[in-house]
Amino acid sequence: MNPTHTNLPPRAKSGGKGKKQPVPKKKKNAWKSFFKLILIVLLIAVLAAAGYAGYLYIKGNEVIEKSGIDKPVAPGQSAKEKPITVLLLGTDHRPETGTYLTDVVMVATMHPETNTSTLVSLPRDTLIELDGYKATKLNAYYPRFKAAYNAAEKKEPGSGIPAEEEMKVMMSKYLGVNIDYVTVIDFQGFRDVVDTFGGVDVNVQYNMCYRDTADGTDINLTVGPQKLDGKKALDYVRYRKSSDSCSPRTKESSDFERNARQSEVLHSLLDKMKSLGGVAKVGNALDAVSDNMTTDFEQEQIRNLIATYYDLGKDDVKFMPVTGNWKSPYVYISSSELDAARQALQDELAGKHNAGAGEQGTEADSATTP
């Protein structure tokens, strides 16, 4: 059953009352997908403006006009004066597969007074059991909502609820915070951003091999510290298990280990963006992001974000990757970790996050997925 919009959880006291956001604009070009890295949508557009404000203002305007919705922000809702909460999605949509499964689901809350952010990530295989929704894996809801929207529009144009809006409603209810915006980024956008900054430095913990001729996937990473280009960085983040064509087969990876690798890549990108050389490349990175995402941010609100969070660094972002137990085909979330993540989001909204606190989330455990 599709959800309604009458039971959104109340916003934390400091957050104010959010206004229903307009339908996200549909990009002309079909995507290919992924994220965690849509934090990159915010943090690229937001980070490295320091020392390069004039250029970034001009380049930022070009990107903003392509990305955001052309309407004003409601009075009192500016990111300069109130905290905002954003749903960050990365889908696996590619022409080869035609699917829209969300490989990454994250919720980021940002507070202007503390200049901090809390980022909660959930395993893609999380079993969601929520009133009004059929129980299934978290990553299956977005394509399900898209199918329902397309069917409704075909039957009666204008009657469907966009999948992005449905995801905002569901995740608001699940995490107990009102989500203001949603942004989705694809695989190509992630690869382009990494390449723009000259790759990312990571420490591969074990060999990773996976090949699939159906969609062209060819992952072949060896253990050890190294710099990865965009293609290999995506392989590193996405790797789940080995295939029969790999000899020898390599170790399987859990959802929790993937979340930890996503954080590792994100940290490396943040370091690159804060460097002098990184600042000079922000314009290209902005182009890469804008061409491969959709969002319901207003153009004015994106400018507000840039002005407010331009100097946000990795030590100002609290990462809260939620883990649990893997029992095929689901991840059963740890209730204590989920409660802690919900509280962390509420604390961010209330201005209780101290800048410079750094990452305080749970690291990957030993659970594995097939």
Side-chain angles (χ1 to χ4, degrees):
M1 183 175 74
N2 285 335
T4 65
H5 296 263
T6 59
N7 296 316
L8 282 175
R11 175 180 294 283
K13 186 174 181 180
S14 66
K17 184 177 181 182
K19 179 179 178 181
K20 182 179 178 182
Q21 297 300 320
V23 175
K25 283 189 175 181
K26 194 172 183 179
K27 298 296 291 181
K28 292 182 179 180
N29 296 327
W31 315 343
K32 311 175 183 173
S33 164
F34 166 40
F35 172 129
K36 177 168 185 168
L37 302 227
I38 190 20
L39 175 61
I40 293 180
V41 167
L42 300 177
L43 293 181
I44 281 190
V46 161
L47 286 184
Y52 221 70
Y55 166 75
L56 192 59
Y57 179 80
I58 295 172
K59 174 56 72 173
N61 275 338
E62 295 175 3
V63 174
I64 288 166
E65 289 171 3
K66 291 193 295 181
S67 306
I69 295 172
D70 186 14
K71 66 171 295 182
V73 176
Q77 300 303 306
S78 169
K80 294 180 179 180
E81 56 186 307
K82 67 176 288 291
I84 62 170
T85 302
V86 187
L87 174 62
L88 313 170
L89 299 175
T91 77
D92 72 346
H93 178 64
R94 289 164 288 167
E96 304 94 319
T97 63
T99 61
Y100 285 90
L101 296 171
T102 47
D103 271 8
V104 175
V105 178
M106 306 179 72
V107 173
T109 295
M110 311 173 80
H111 200 293
E113 294 182 7
T114 57
N115 194 37
T116 58
S117 177
T118 293
L119 187 64
V120 171
S121 62
L122 295 164
R124 51 168 280 165
D125 291 332
T126 297
L127 174 63
I128 300 293
E129 297 178 293
L130 197 61
D131 289 345
Y133 299 85
K134 182 178 179 180
T136 189
K137 290 183 180 182
L138 177 57
N139 73 334
Y141 285 100
Y142 185 60
R144 177 177 293 181
F145 292 152
K146 286 188 75 70
Y149 171 76
N150 291 337
E153 289 294 296
K154 184 176 181 180
K155 184 177 181 180
E156 183 181 349
S159 65
I161 302 175
E164 294 82 5
E165 186 69 18
E166 294 276 30
M167 287 296 296
K168 282 167 59 176
V169 173
M170 186 185 80
M171 294 307 297
S172 292
K173 188 173 182 180
Y174 185 69
L175 290 174
V177 294
N178 188 66
I179 295 174
D180 303 297
Y181 297 98
V182 58
T183 307
V184 188
I185 193 171
D186 70 3
F187 282 145
Q188 188 59 50
F190 172 65
R191 288 191 291 247
D192 289 348
V193 166
V194 171
D195 286 337
T196 295
F197 287 99
V200 290
D201 298 312
V202 302
N203 185 13
V204 180
Q205 297 296 313
Y206 48 84
N207 292 340
M208 300 177 183
C209 176
Y210 178 82
R211 299 186 183 93
D212 187 345
T213 56
D215 64 7
T217 300
D218 185 5
I219 299 174
N220 186 19
L221 299 172
T222 56
V223 65
Q226 54 201 277
K227 177 176 288 187
L228 303 180
D229 62 14
K231 188 269 181 188
K232 290 184 177 179
L234 180 60
D235 290 344
Y236 182 59
V237 171
R238 292 187 62 221
Y239 175 77
R240 291 173 61 85
K241 62 180 180 178
S242 190
S243 56
D244 292 337
S245 59
C246 296
S247 181
R249 298 190 66 169
T250 51
K251 179 182 179 294
E252 294 181 352
S253 176
S254 71
D255 265 359
F256 319 126
E257 290 170 332
R258 286 194 295 277
N259 281 352
R261 295 199 298 271
Q262 290 165 8
S263 293
E264 181 185 10
V265 169
L266 182 56
H267 276 180
S268 180
L269 278 171
L270 293 179
D271 282 339
K272 296 261 185 173
M273 284 186 277
K274 295 292 283 188
S275 70
L276 180 61
V279 170
K281 298 175 181 177
V282 169
N284 291 336
L286 284 168
D287 283 334
V289 169
S290 67
D291 289 340
N292 295 279
M293 78 170 187
T294 191
T295 185
D296 59 356
F297 272 105
E298 302 94 344
Q299 294 175 8
E300 178 185 347
Q301 191 72 300
I302 298 177
R303 293 186 181 95
N304 294 338
L305 284 170
I306 294 174
T308 305
Y309 298 101
Y310 72 90
D311 59 346
L312 188 70
K314 68 179 183 181
D315 290 336
D316 303 320
V317 181
K318 179 185 292 185
F319 292 88
M320 300 287 292
V322 180
T323 66
N325 296 315
W326 165 256
K327 294 182 181 179
S328 183
Y330 302 113
V331 169
Y332 293 84
I333 286 297
S334 164
S335 59
S336 62
E337 289 188 24
L338 183 58
D339 288 343
R342 289 168 173 162
Q343 187 61 53
L345 292 172
Q346 294 287 355
D347 288 347
E348 187 71 61
L349 288 170
K352 297 180 180 179
H353 179 179
N354 294 324
E359 182 168 356
Q360 299 180 15
T362 304
E363 295 300 323
D365 63 16
S366 59
T368 58
T369 60

